[in-house]
Amino acid sequence: MAATATRKWATRAGVAAAVFGMPAAAFCAADHKGYPKYPRGHVRRPDLPTYTIEEVKKHIDAETQVWCTYKGGVYDATSFLMGHPGGTGRLLMAGGNDLAIFWDVYRQHYQKHVLDFLETYRIGNVTPEDALKQETEFVFNNPFVDDPVRPDPDLLHTTEYPFNGEPLLKRLHENFYTPNDLHYVRLHMPVPDIEADDWEVEVSGLGLPGPKIYKLKELQTKFQQRSLSCTLQCAGNRREDFQDHGGHFIFIAPQWRVAAISNASYTGVYLRDVLKDAGLDVDALTFTDKPHPTIKHVHFEGSDVTEDGVKYGVSIPIEKAVNPVGDTMIVWEMNGKPLPRDHGGPVRTLVPGHVGNKSCKFLEYIKICTGESMRPWHLKSYRNFPPDFSFEEHLSKWDKLTDEQLAKGPICQLMPVQSLITYPPPQSVIGGRDADSVKVKGISWSGNGVGMARVDVSLDGGQHFTAADFLPKPPEVVEREMWGRRWSWYQFEKDIKLPNELQDKLQRGEKIELELVSKGVDNGFNVQPESVDPYYNPRGCVVNSWYRVPVTMDPKEKANTLVSEVKGQD
């Protein structure tokens, strides 16, 4: 297989000249129920013993104990090994060391609720001298230094390392095909740099005579090439809506705001065709009255790898992979250009309608299996647990969860109906002089492939709705889409008439406040829920409640012109 560049992840070094991590801050933890009230940071806990560095390093064993330090505190993370959202290996890598060394790269940990949660694992102190030594004697080399440049300033950085970015909301409606540099980016590890001529994929597993390897040129010449317009959305899009929800917090990154969704045209070949060529009886698996007893799932593995050597992996049901109208593909072009590195180049899978992480980037292996993928990005990260589950009480104790509890949090596959008003931007001021309506624009989509029936829009927070108008899709999309295969989004617009009383206020020179809302309805009559409350889940997945856009209309400015907006999404 094509090899990725070997990286020097971490090295021992002499005492560095500066301290890693956040500035020391001593304040009382526990603004919410469940966390003990005591100071953290560079504050000695007099109720706990003091350990030497040597004693801390004695407690490093994947099977029994993992101790680490953070700014003068000693923490026993053993019981958190299986619950760590970033994977067990990454926590083991920090064993015996100071967390700030790693968190200076993975800065998404520097949130108050994360630091408060960490303090629940505290068992002791180290001396100030040892704390400084711990923070400076070990160097964690940033593994992301060779990542590609992201040139568009409107691709907002949700996390720096690994890079995750969402487009500025108001730009989503500009193009039916989202430009490659603006398309949302979801990465889990450093971006591999693989030449197209060096790329190859191995297909193996149940139902095949043996492994078979394909080079890119073979895929491009042996199979019929197809182009498909497809919307991708991260399972965690709008995850921020769940942050600090009912006293619960989200402990997995990225905490997307709203725009981890984009649409593009992809070119490649059907996965079904490749599996058939490799020896799988795809027709027998498709045209049958009962499922195959052992052939259940197709695993995808990418070339992107964690610091401790674990490659990205996910799986999809075999039915989706071999369905002749499921449109699952292996693709190498995006919007007519070679697939960019940030988007999985040179080759990735495309699984229309499913959560974005199933469209595996940097594709390296395809395997037919009985069970689902055991990689954490499939098994742990994207599950929809019920509202009475929390990270603190349940998911952080992953190895204690029963099979019955896990069954209540199914792994996410299909995405629900979604719509978003993308213009005007949230918290913006728009002109209202002589205005009798407010113009809204947006996008809508449903992962089940049946397409959208309509999008209803409101200017009073959902008290009154009217149907928006869909913009026509490009001819090449209209010619191809059919029932169950409508994978691309719908753009909508509407001039919503202002009630007479609001028009009167504008005429009197008064500003008016509006709450714009959209409500998507797909052709299966699945409807976006009004409130996020009943749908809370501790992983922050498949959020699709009404997205609310507060705006102000200023009677002094020309009608429907954008006068001012806040920086970022809202």
Side-chain angles (χ1 to χ4, degrees), residues 352-369:
H354 285 231
V355 296
N357 86 307
K358 301 301 182 277
S359 294
C360 179
K361 297 180 177 182
F362 324 112
L363 182 64
E364 191 172 21
Y365 290 98
I366 300 172
K367 191 172 184 178
I368 315 299
C369 298

Side-chain angles (χ1 to χ4, degrees), residues 4-14 93 101-102 105-106 138-146 190 305-309:
T4 56
T6 302
R7 300 177 185 273
K8 185 179 180 183
W9 299 100
T11 58
R12 289 282 174 187
M93 184 175 63
I101 298 169
F102 305 95
V105 174
Y106 296 109
F138 185 85
V139 176
F140 176 60
N141 293 330
N142 186 342
F144 300 92
V145 293
D146 296 325
V305 61
T306 65
E307 299 88 337
D308 58 315

Side-chain angles (χ1 to χ4, degrees), residues 171-426:
R171 293 199 58 191
L172 271 187
H173 189 271
E174 289 180 355
N175 303 280
F176 181 77
Y177 297 121
T178 311
N180 292 356
D181 287 341
L182 190 64
H183 192 291
Y184 90 91
V185 176
R186 175 64 171 112
L187 295 166
H188 298 84
M189 279 87 79
V191 180
D193 192 359
I194 306 167
E195 294 295 331
D197 290 341
D198 295 332
W199 179 87
E200 59 188 28
V201 64
E202 180 181 296
V203 183
S204 65
L206 301 175
L208 301 178
K212 187 166 185 177
I213 293 176
Y214 295 90
K215 303 284 286 185
L216 179 54
K217 288 293 184 184
E218 185 177 3
L219 293 183
Q220 292 172 331
T221 56
K222 189 172 187 176
F223 304 99
Q224 180 180 349
Q225 293 191 27
R226 306 170 189 271
S227 292
L228 181 70
S229 174
C230 182
T231 295
L232 291 178
Q233 180 178 203
C234 182
N237 190 29
R238 301 182 59 190
R239 179 175 280 148
E240 184 69 18
D241 289 7
F242 284 163
Q243 190 64 282
D244 196 8
H245 181 89
H248 294 307
F249 290 80
I250 297 297
F251 287 83
I252 191 168
Q255 289 172 16
W256 300 110
R257 186 64 197 96
V258 65
I261 181 171
S262 301
N263 189 67
S265 176
Y266 297 90
T267 299
V269 298
Y270 279 158
L271 174 62
R272 171 188 167 91
D273 293 346
V274 176
L275 294 178
K276 182 177 181 179
D277 183 78
L280 187 67
D281 190 346
V282 295
D283 288 337
L285 291 167
T286 303
F287 306 109
T288 179
D289 293 331
K290 58 182 179 180
H292 193 279
T294 58
I295 298 176
K296 303 287 189 181
H297 301 275
V298 179
H299 291 216
F300 303 132
E301 185 177 283
S303 296
D304 44 340
V305 61
T306 65
E307 299 88 337
D308 58 315
V310 180
K311 290 187 176 181
Y312 182 81
V314 292
S315 61
I316 62 171
I318 187 66
E319 292 85 355
K320 178 66 175 178
V322 301
N323 188 345
V325 294
D327 294 322
T328 302
M329 299 178 69
I330 301 172
V331 300
W332 55 81
E333 275 189 10
M334 179 177 179
N335 291 331
K337 297 179 181 179
L339 195 64
R341 287 175 62 201
D342 263 349
H343 297 290
V347 179
R348 73 180 298 174
T349 59
L350 184 70
V351 187
H354 285 231
V355 296
N357 86 307
K358 301 301 182 277
S359 294
C360 179
K361 297 180 177 182
F362 324 112
L363 182 64
E364 191 172 21
Y365 290 98
I366 300 172
K367 191 172 184 178
I368 315 299
C369 298
T370 300
E372 297 192 57
S373 172
M374 297 298 288
R375 299 295 167 84
W377 306 278
H378 182 83
L379 185 67
K380 291 183 178 182
S381 297
Y382 300 103
R383 301 183 79 130
N384 194 322
F385 287 96
D388 59 345
F389 277 48
S390 71
F391 177 82
E392 299 93 328
E393 295 300 319
H394 299 91
L395 305 194
S396 65
K397 303 168 180 133
W398 189 269
D399 52 332
K400 305 298 183 184
L401 293 176
T402 65
D403 290 343
E404 182 181 0
Q405 287 176 312
L406 287 172
K408 292 178 180 177
I411 293 168
C412 300
Q413 289 284 353
L414 285 175
M415 289 294 284
V417 61
Q418 181 77 275
S419 76
L420 304 166
I421 288 177
T422 61
Y423 186 90

